[in-house]
Amino acid sequence: MARLVMKFGGTSVSGIKEIENAAAKIAQEVKRGHEVAVVVSAMAGETNKLIEYCRAVSPLHDAREYDAVVASGENVTAGLVAMALQKRGIQSRSWQGWQVPVICNDAHGKARIEEIRAGEIEKRMKEKEVAVVAGFQGMTPRDRITTLGRGGSDTTAVALAAALRADRCDIYTDVEGVFTTDPHIVPQARKLGRISYEEMLEMASMGAKVLQTRSVEMAMKSRVPVQVLSSFVEETGSDFPGTLVTGEEDIMEKEIVNGITYSEDEAKVTLVKIPDIPGMAAKVFGPLAAANINVDMIVQNISQDGKSTDMTFTLAASDLPRAMEVLKSGSDLKGVEIRSQENVAKISAIGIGMRSHAGVAQTTFKALAEKGINIQIISASEIKISVIVAAEYTELAVRALHAAYGLEKE
Ligand code: ADP
Ligand code: ASP
Ligand code: MG
């Protein structure tokens, strides 16, 4: 007998038929004798619709009320899944974030889970009751509803698995596992049997939305094994049909490159003729950090005349308007020309085998050159190479790198 957390994403609960299908999978695991807790997303498209409602009322809406609205999608599916389980003769109860409770900080719209007090759920689990927890939501210390950022139900699931000391967290979705790249863009993508936490963390943070980045961070920290698998194939999680995200020590074959990711939520800011004197970087990035804006790649050119230089950095496109406002009015950059560009994408190649191999980046450069794709910025870390290219080349670049690193299925 194992203790499992089973999470169902938006497409896996997109209608009554899909909810019945999810309930059947849950029932199967319960009947095998496993202790099960469930986490659900809102029905596919629901969260987008709720966000649109908020924007329609006011583009500058209150973040607390935004959370109250967008958290509601998950409440519906939690209740429906609990009902579908009861119909199958399984004791079940739905739980909203505040009922568990899932305690979060007050960064509304992208809150972090600080603690899950799962005592009551655990007690009832031992009495064979299946908890169906609304993902993506929690409660601040001041009792306001909060949400965890897009894709946040993954994080609820892993955090609940950690709090319950579960043997595994199964993430049911619309693809059969983690692939070498997004299978919806590259049909030749190959499903990975296993992937290390480290690689999965890089893939998620570089744009593979199959798992929310924070869920991987949490799984790695609490050493919860995570399996990604499809809701729409016959087997359940206990048959191990998906991809296991696990410690590096459990990975036999350390591939040089295991995955290619892309992110189109990217923008580029260039500061032209910034004085080449100490303290300038702090003047640029200090106010951005204070405004909670993360910057990613940073490049500074060598000064030609010893007086001024150019600096370029990237950030999430969704943060660009606020960043421009901060740089233009909130920081001390008189005389510096600030340019921005939105239609760029970041393409990355990721693999733990890179640590012990030289010349890996050259494959990226050559493959892009052969397709005539210009590289605007390059950055590399121990297990990743990323480049910024014009957004119109995203798919072409992903396919080129996927083929160049030999990732296609046989
Ligand atoms: P859910 O609603 O179940 O949470 P998501 O849409 O958030 O599902 O995530 C699943 C999607 O992630 C897939 O449909 C796929 O298009 C995308 N994806 C991107 N990169 C990858 C990858 N490397 N492997 C698998 N899926 C990926
Ligand atoms: N429903 C939320 C979203 O669409 C959370 C999730 O699906 O994980 O972002
Ligand atoms: Mg998701």
Side-chain angles (χ1 to χ4, degrees):
M1 186 198 75
R3 183 173 281 189
L4 307 174
V5 170
M6 302 171 72
K7 179 257 173 179
F8 293 86
T11 39
S12 308
V13 290
S14 60
I16 301 305
K17 189 168 103 277
E18 290 75 11
I19 285 178
E20 296 285 3
N21 170 63
K25 289 203 180 282
I26 299 164
Q28 213 174 325
E29 298 287 38
V30 171
K31 286 179 184 149
R32 281 179 178 166
H34 299 312
E35 285 182 334
V36 176
V38 177
V39 172
V40 289
S41 290
M43 290 182 181
E46 240 353 83
T47 309
N48 288 346
K49 196 176 87 189
L50 295 168
I51 292 173
E52 269 316 305
Y53 286 154
C54 296
R55 290 206 183 117
V57 172
S58 161
L60 293 171
H61 45 252
D62 183 297
R64 289 170 197 78
E65 299 314 328
Y66 164 95
D67 275 347
V69 174
V70 301
S72 67
E74 271 70 10
N75 298 346
V76 174
T77 43
L80 291 172
V81 170
M83 277 180 206
L85 287 171
Q86 290 168 359
K87 189 170 80 177
R88 287 174 168 73
I90 291 170
Q91 286 179 63
S92 179
R93 191 56 71 213
S94 68
W95 298 75
Q96 296 182 10
W98 63 273
Q99 291 173 304
V100 176
V102 178
I103 314 278
C104 294
N105 66 7
D106 60 5
H108 283 276
K110 49 177 165 189
R112 272 181 183 274
I113 296 179
E114 298 199 322
E115 190 191 352
I116 296 192
R117 297 194 194 124
E120 183 62 23
I121 288 184
E122 188 169 13
K123 186 176 131 240
R124 296 189 191 198
M125 193 178 220
K126 289 184 180 140
E127 296 160 4
K128 307 255 173 278
E129 184 175 296
V130 175
V132 184
V133 177
F136 181 52
Q137 51 171 267
M139 180 182 95
T140 69
R142 298 173 68 187
D143 294 353
R144 300 308 311 179
I145 303 292
T146 190
T147 61
L148 309 180
R150 298 311 303 270
S153 297
D154 297 330
T155 303
T156 307
V158 174
L160 184 64
L164 291 170
R165 299 171 310 281
D167 295 291
R168 200 175 66 245
C169 182
D170 285 331
I171 306 278
Y172 287 84
T173 183
D174 60 350
V175 288
E176 281 157 39
V178 179
F179 284 69
T180 46
T181 193
D182 187 342
H184 288 131
I185 292 221
V186 183
Q188 296 88 339
R190 189 159 45 77
K191 198 195 91 193
L192 301 166
R194 285 174 182 237
I195 184 168
S196 66
Y197 291 122
E198 291 81 354
E199 285 168 304
M200 193 62 237
L201 186 60
E202 287 284 8
M203 283 187 66
S205 60
M206 292 300 121
K209 70 164 181 165
V210 61
L211 287 174
Q212 198 197 32
T213 306
R214 275 189 196 159
S215 73
V216 188
E217 256 166 29
M218 198 168 293
M220 186 160 136
K221 210 169 88 201
S222 48
R223 307 314 276 186
V224 176
V226 172
Q227 180 179 206
V228 177
L229 71 165
S230 169
S231 281
F232 306 106
V233 295
E234 280 287 303
E235 298 97 330
T236 61
S238 300
D239 304 315
F240 284 102
T243 300
L244 196 67
V245 188
T246 179
E248 208 177 299
E249 60 283 1
D250 298 329
I251 311 276
M252 309 293 176
E253 296 252 333
K254 297 196 171 47
E255 300 295 338
I256 298 174
V257 169
N258 231 339
I260 309 294
T261 61
Y262 64 95
S263 163
E264 291 179 307
D265 177 29
E266 300 289 329
K268 195 172 84 173
V269 173
T270 302
L271 306 169
V272 186
K273 288 214 179 336
I274 186 163
D276 193 17
I277 52 170
M280 285 316 288
K283 275 192 189 171
V284 173
F285 299 114
L288 291 174
N292 228 335
I293 297 169
N294 288 328
V295 303
D296 181 22
M297 304 168 160
I298 305 174
V299 212
Q300 183 174 322
N301 289 340
I302 291 177
S303 174
Q304 296 297 334
D305 56 6
K307 289 186 196 134
S308 66
T309 176
D310 296 345
M311 184 191 277
T312 299
F313 61 88
T314 64
L315 72 175
S318 46
D319 281 338
L320 183 63
R322 263 186 328 125
M324 290 301 277
E325 198 180 289
V326 167
L327 291 173
K328 285 187 172 152
S329 60
S331 65
D332 178 18
L333 294 171
K334 275 182 240 53
V336 176
E337 187 193 332
I338 306 173
R339 293 182 198 158
S340 69
Q341 194 190 339
E342 269 196 83
N343 43 358
V344 292
K346 181 169 61 188
I347 318 291
S348 311
I350 293 143
I352 40 178
M354 262 184 222
R355 284 196 193 118
S356 47
H357 282 80
V360 182
Q362 177 58 17
T363 305
T364 289
F365 305 152
K366 195 160 157 274
L368 296 177
E370 277 167 12
K371 298 286 180 203
I373 301 172
N374 187 39
I375 300 173
Q376 303 181 8
I377 304 180
I378 302 168
S379 94
S381 72
E382 207 188 7
I383 64 163
K384 175 200 79 193
I385 297 152
S386 298
V387 295
I388 294 284
V389 302
E392 60 187 301
Y393 297 122
T394 306
E395 293 195 11
L396 185 62
V398 169
R399 292 201 186 99
L401 295 192
H402 192 260
Y405 284 105
L407 295 175
E408 291 173 341
K409 56 185 169 203
E410 315 273 281

